[in-house]
């Protein structure tokens, strides 16, 4: 019993520099076959070795303007280590959320991209495309209905609501919390 406990503690301590975002705490690293996958719920999942999947042109950003703040998926070369996460943040990237697999959704200005790409632990970086954000059920619907739009925690809520109204949406309500903002619209 004592040996088993010490072995488990040694394993946990030796692997403590690996992290994977989770509300439940410790999770083993993903299997190696997932190391280059980006999982998108709505079907646009892809292997970063092969590039991004084909997406509709009206749901695609080719590039951000020089110096513009944008949103990116940044994939690491394996299970994320604490020092890798800190190294990414040290380059000026703001981490919003963990993204399967071994990636973060981050915000940064375009002048930070090359520095981030040059980090030895970064495998791939790509724009977080508008197509990746849309629920799969909405991609094929053309009728009216009630939906919710989740915004980044630091998004300009008033400006977003005005843009939605200008596009013809009816704003039903909205809420703000420490993890983000949600606008309910029709």
């Amino acid at each position: 019993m004592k040996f088993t406990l010490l072995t488990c503690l040694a394993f946990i301590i030796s692997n403590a520099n690996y992290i994977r975002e989770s509300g439940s705490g410790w999770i083993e690293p993903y299997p190696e076959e997932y190391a280059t996958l980006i999982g998108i719920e709505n079907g646009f999942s892809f292997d970063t070795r092969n590039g991004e999947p084909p997406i509709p042109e009206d749901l695609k950003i080719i590039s951000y303007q020089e110096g513009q703040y944008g949103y990116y998926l940044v994939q690491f070369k394996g299970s994320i280590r604490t020092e890798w996460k800190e190294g990414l943040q040290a380059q000026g990237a703001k981490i919003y959320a963990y993204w399967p697999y071994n990636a973060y959704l981050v915000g940064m200005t375009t002048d930070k991209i090359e520095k981030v790409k040059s980090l030895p632990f970064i495998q791939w970086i790509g724009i977080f495309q508008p197509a990746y954000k849309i629920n799969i059920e909405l991609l094929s619907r053309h009728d009216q209905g009630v939906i919710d739009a989740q915004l980044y925690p630091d998004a300009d809520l008033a400006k977003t609501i005005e843009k939605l109204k200008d596009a013809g949406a009816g704003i039903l309500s909205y809420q703000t919390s420490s993890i983000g903002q949600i606008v309910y619209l029709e």
Side-chain angles (χ1 to χ4, degrees), residues 14-119:
S14 68
N15 288 291
N17 61 346
Y18 288 98
I19 62 169
R20 175 139 36 107
E21 298 299 311
S22 168
S24 62
W26 169 259
I27 296 179
E28 292 181 34
Y30 286 111
E32 197 61 34
E33 67 260 22
Y34 294 141
T36 59
L37 300 180
I38 294 287
I40 310 284
E41 253 178 53
N42 64 6
F44 287 110
S45 299
F46 58 99
D47 187 325
T48 57
R49 293 174 297 185
N50 302 326
E52 295 184 69
I55 56 177
E57 289 300 316
D58 60 336
L59 296 175
K60 186 176 188 177
I61 297 172
I62 302 298
S63 65
Y64 290 107
Q65 295 175 1
E66 190 173 330
Q68 184 180 3
Y69 190 85
Y71 301 96
Y72 301 87
L73 290 172
V74 177
Q75 189 175 55
F76 293 77
K77 291 181 178 177
S79 297
I80 302 168
R81 297 172 176 243
T82 302
E83 62 267 21
W84 294 356
K85 179 180 177 180
E86 292 168 352
L88 175 63
Q89 291 171 313
Q91 297 304 317
K94 181 174 184 175
I95 295 175
Y96 288 101
Y98 174 79
W99 209 269
Y101 296 94
N102 305 327
Y104 282 116
L105 170 60
V106 305
M108 64 184 143
T109 55
T110 56
D111 59 318
K112 307 291 185 197
I113 300 297
E114 291 308 314
K115 286 182 181 180
V116 170
K117 280 183 181 178
S118 71
L119 295 171

Side-chain angles (χ1 to χ4, degrees), residues 170-185:
I171 306 302
L172 304 174
S173 66
Y174 58 88
Q175 66 184 37
T176 302
S177 73
S178 61
I179 60 168
Q181 304 172 87
I182 298 177
V183 178
Y184 299 94
L185 59 130

